[in-house]
Amino acid sequence: MPYTEEIYARVVEQNPGEVEFHQAVKEVLDSLKVVIDANEEKYRSLGLLERLVEPERIISFKVPWVDDEGKVQVNKGYRVQFNSAIGPYKGGLRFHPSVNQSILKFLGFEQIFKNSLTGLPIGGGKGGSNFDPKGKSDREVMAFCQSFMTELSKYIGADQDVPAGDIGVGGREIGYLYGQYKRLTGLYEGVLTGKGLSYGGSLIRTQATGYGLIYMLEEMVAAKGESLEGKTVIVTGSGNVAIYAVEKVTQLGAKVVAMNDSNGYIYDANGINLDVVKDIKEVRRGRIKEYADLVPGSVYTEGKGIWNIACDIYLPCATQNELDLEAVKILKANGCEIIAEGANMPTTREATDYILENGILFMPGKAANAGGVATSALEMSQNSMRYSWTAEEVDAKLKGIMKDIYAKVSDAAARYGLEGNYVAGANIAGFEKVVDAMMAQGIV
Ligand code: NDP
């Protein structure tokens, strides 16, 4: 049996029920097959893939806190420290009821290759809790964050593991987490990224994932000899990634006509008014359907189906497996030419295969959304230097990194005769650096 298939079977057998983790491993191994086949003997002798698919450490803990009614609540907390071959573990914290070990392992595994692609010295990790910040008071969120950090603080540090935000973890949560870390350890260090500007945050970090996605999109469009001017775009989600993707792509002359949240989607033929979305989502923490009440001519539709709207470019920026085979067939039939993933693994495996076989240009999340973690690494650098770069400096570095990732991804695909297959290109380019570092460091 080929080495990649043997390892996939081992992962399924040893991690029962962890379907998201299996899916992520399968996608990576399938596209690395060409590289691994060519080096099979060497990699086998070093147990390279066995070591790559096993997290270095998983920390799992209880998070007790008291709600506003005085009732004790208990959530599950996790940190998956997946791979530190090229730097301290780095990856976000997700607070969402769906969070479980499988989802965090899939995200941590993806993070290894994404972080490698940035060219910066950061290993792969991910963490979070099944806590749902939605509908909680600020005091409840603070109580939860303080309890979560009381345990997590034992395992993280500026040169060890540096978490950031993800779904459900924004500026408010990072602030409460940082305050508690500092109180417990007495250290004022860059242990978290996504911090506020008044206490060590980096300019442009809030915008970085969305802006970076659009800088990547610019490269993809340019490779087709086109520009973003006049393109019709759909951006899914209406959180951090989605909002700043809409902001940048609109600045560059495209028109975003639809966005959604987990309840339904809005369509605005005149182009989404982002100030209204920001007010609903960032200020009032409301629902996207309120947009239709505030903007004449826009329409709200309850439920799924945003992909039924025609577009040139589709940017899934909400969550994993939001885009399935049926949906991409409709996108293709309606003329969609490019899909770039702002979210992590938003496209199912069947849908990805269809996209690659049917000539839609596709950039996977580990390359397209790497601007967030790259700017987090720039925040770490600024914290270490005790110095801050200007917004223009950070934005220019972010743009340079996204261009560089595009070049690496398309070069890796071309080297293996897979021109235009950016899924393979991203996995191969990310893998090469990690493997090199793992081989140099011996069996650890
Ligand atoms: P946020 O919590 O800020 O926003 C998530 C958005 O997605 C919300 O609007 C949410 O709506 C919506 N959503 C969630 N589930 C669904 C669903 N099933 N259908 C439709 N909409 C849904 O998270 P982020 O913007 O930070 O993260 C989005 C994605 O990007 C995630 O996959 C994350 O891992 C990835 N990512 C984030 C980075 C970052 O820097 N923030 C970096 C790299 C990747 P609702 O409010 O209804 O739940």
Side-chain angles (χ1 to χ4, degrees):
M1 196 193 271
Y3 191 23
T4 47
E5 284 174 34
E6 198 180 303
I7 294 299
Y8 177 65
R10 176 188 165 107
V11 164
V12 171
E13 191 199 329
Q14 296 192 352
N15 302 273
E18 297 190 345
V19 290
E20 295 86 0
F21 180 50
H22 302 168
Q23 182 185 345
V25 170
K26 179 145 184 51
E27 185 227 282
V28 169
L29 289 180
D30 282 355
S31 58
L32 289 176
K33 196 168 179 312
V34 278
V35 187
I36 290 163
D37 284 353
N39 296 282
E40 176 154 348
E41 211 180 301
K42 183 170 56 177
Y43 290 170
R44 267 188 192 275
S45 72
L46 295 170
L48 199 102
L49 294 185
E50 287 86 341
R51 290 191 286 135
L52 187 69
V53 298
E54 195 65 41
E56 289 175 16
R57 196 172 299 101
I58 299 178
I59 300 133
S60 147
F61 50 95
K62 77 172 169 190
V63 190
W65 56 283
V66 179
D67 70 17
D68 284 348
E69 267 77 62
K71 197 162 166 262
V72 175
Q73 301 284 347
V74 180
N75 286 99
K76 289 177 182 292
Y78 307 89
R79 186 72 182 163
V80 178
Q81 298 180 331
F82 219 118
N83 188 299
S84 61
I86 64 173
Y89 310 104
K90 182 91 199 83
L93 296 172
R94 176 176 292 190
F95 292 170
H96 192 271
S98 65
V99 162
N100 57 36
Q101 190 165 291
S102 168
I103 288 181
L104 296 178
K105 280 168 74 176
F106 120 61
L107 289 163
F109 186 68
E110 289 276 300
Q111 197 83 42
I112 303 169
F113 307 100
K114 181 191 307 194
N115 292 2
S116 167
L117 281 173
T118 67
L120 301 168
I122 39 178
K126 199 82 188 187
S129 171
N130 61 354
F131 172 74
D132 187 0
K134 231 178 270 167
K136 303 288 189 303
S137 70
D138 280 354
R139 195 211 59 82
E140 288 176 319
V141 171
M142 182 173 73
F144 174 81
C145 288
Q146 290 181 340
S147 180
F148 184 85
M149 183 52 87
T150 300
E151 194 57 31
L152 185 69
S153 63
K154 299 169 189 166
Y155 310 100
I156 61 176
D159 294 312
Q160 189 181 356
D161 183 355
V162 183
D166 188 71
I167 292 177
V169 179
R172 172 181 62 169
E173 291 76 17
I174 293 289
Y176 293 147
L177 292 164
Y178 189 73
Q180 183 73 352
Y181 179 85
K182 181 167 64 75
R183 185 181 184 203
L184 289 166
T185 62
L187 296 172
Y188 207 102
E189 60 171 14
V191 68
L192 291 168
T193 57
K195 299 187 292 299
L197 294 176
S198 57
Y199 63 97
S202 173
L203 288 158
I204 306 292
R205 175 60 189 93
T206 305
Q207 297 88 342
T209 309
Y211 279 19
L213 171 67
I214 304 307
Y215 295 147
M216 176 63 79
L217 182 63
E218 269 191 299
E219 297 298 304
M220 296 168 75
V221 171
K224 283 164 68 86
E226 298 174 14
S227 86
L228 285 169
E229 190 70 44
K231 298 279 188 211
T232 300
V233 181
I234 292 176
V235 177
T236 71
S238 43
N240 173 265
V241 179
I243 285 175
Y244 293 96
V246 172
E247 184 165 284
K248 184 54 73 179
V249 84
T250 307
Q251 282 169 11
L252 295 174
K255 182 162 81 171
V256 179
V257 293
M259 294 178 81
N260 67 358
D261 63 18
S262 52
N263 293 121
Y265 60 94
I266 46 160
Y267 172 65
D268 187 343
N270 297 318
I272 295 286
N273 181 334
L274 194 61
D275 289 340
V276 175
V277 176
K278 280 186 180 177
D279 184 56
I280 296 170
K281 289 292 175 182
E282 294 186 333
V283 181
R284 294 190 282 114
R285 296 179 190 271
R287 309 307 303 160
I288 202 72
K289 76 170 182 203
E290 295 163 37
Y291 184 94
D293 301 330
L294 296 165
V295 181
S298 65
V299 183
Y300 174 73
T301 307
E302 185 79 13
K304 293 179 191 293
I306 190 171
W307 47 80
N308 288 305
I309 298 165
C311 65
D312 303 310
I313 298 169
Y314 190 87
L315 304 175
C317 296
T319 194
Q320 65 270 4
N321 293 327
E322 58 173 288
L323 185 60
D324 63 14
L325 179 60
E326 192 194 336
V328 291
K329 283 183 176 168
I330 296 169
L331 285 171
K332 171 76 186 166
N334 287 337
C336 176
E337 292 180 350
I338 298 182
I339 298 175
E341 296 183 328
N344 285 311
M345 208 170 72
T347 314
T348 65
R349 177 60 194 261
E350 300 72 41
T352 306
D353 290 344
Y354 177 88
I355 289 167
L356 295 176
E357 284 156 16
N358 286 276
I360 299 178
L361 204 55
F362 178 76
M363 188 61 75
K366 65 172 71 68
N369 69 32
V373 76
T375 307
S376 275
L378 299 178
E379 183 173 331
M380 289 165 71
S381 302
Q382 293 170 82
N383 292 161
S384 298
M385 290 189 291
R386 308 237 181 266
Y387 184 74
S388 298
W389 290 316
T390 63
E392 291 71 25
E393 284 172 309
V394 180
D395 196 31
K397 288 182 201 299
L398 169 63
K399 195 165 190 173
I401 290 167
M402 297 314 294
K403 272 176 171 287
D404 182 55
I405 294 175
Y406 177 80
K408 275 185 205 155
V409 167
S410 55
D411 167 71
R415 270 192 284 124
Y416 285 90
L418 299 164
E419 279 86 357
N421 182 342
Y422 299 141
V423 174
N427 285 327
I428 293 168
F431 175 77
E432 285 174 335
K433 181 178 175 189
V434 174
V435 161
D436 195 54
M438 283 176 73
M439 291 201 297
Q441 292 172 33
I443 310 297
V444 291

